Amino acid sequence: MSSAPSELYYAQAFHHGEREHHSYVVAIGHKEQVEALARAEHARHFGEYGIALYQVELDAPLQERLHLVNYLGSNMGERWIDGQQADRQAA
């Protein structure tokens, strides 16, 4: 049995940055593969979807341990920032 990766990455596509609407998971796995699949998916939709790449912690609540590492913006030009970084800066 293979062990779980020490760093796990997750890519999610969002239609024009809408978190609650028109989103889907692109890939979960190692950073290089997830990032390559995210870039390919972003290109396939010609910028209609923004794609967020997160580093996640295995067996932890996703919303509590989500760390944004990259964002491929949609053609609407939105920008996303890491919520954990914003929380740290506010403290």
Side-chain angles (χ1 to χ4, degrees):
M1 177 183 240
S2 65
S3 64
S6 58
E7 290 186 343
L8 189 63
Y9 291 84
Y10 160 77
Q12 186 168 4
F14 300 95
H15 188 259
H16 295 305
E18 297 175 22
R19 295 185 95 158
E20 293 81 21
H21 303 27
H22 311 290
S23 70
Y24 61 94
V25 173
V26 175
I28 298 172
H30 295 282
K31 184 177 183 181
E32 294 78 20
Q33 288 84 3
V34 171
E35 193 157 28
L37 290 167
R39 288 187 186 285
E41 187 71 3
H42 188 258
R44 186 172 78 86
H45 286 288
F46 304 105
E48 282 293 313
Y49 284 76
I51 301 182
L53 178 63
Y54 301 103
Q55 182 180 10
V56 296
E57 198 173 299
L58 193 61
D59 298 331
L62 190 60
Q63 293 304 319
E64 293 175 20
R65 304 283 192 226
L66 202 59
H67 173 65
L68 182 69
V69 294
N70 196 2
Y71 186 72
L72 307 172
S74 75
N75 55 16
M76 294 292 288
E78 79 284 1
R79 242 182 49 159
W80 285 23
I81 60 169
D82 184 351
Q84 289 180 347
Q85 292 287 2
D87 290 345
R88 279 187 226 125
Q89 289 174 358

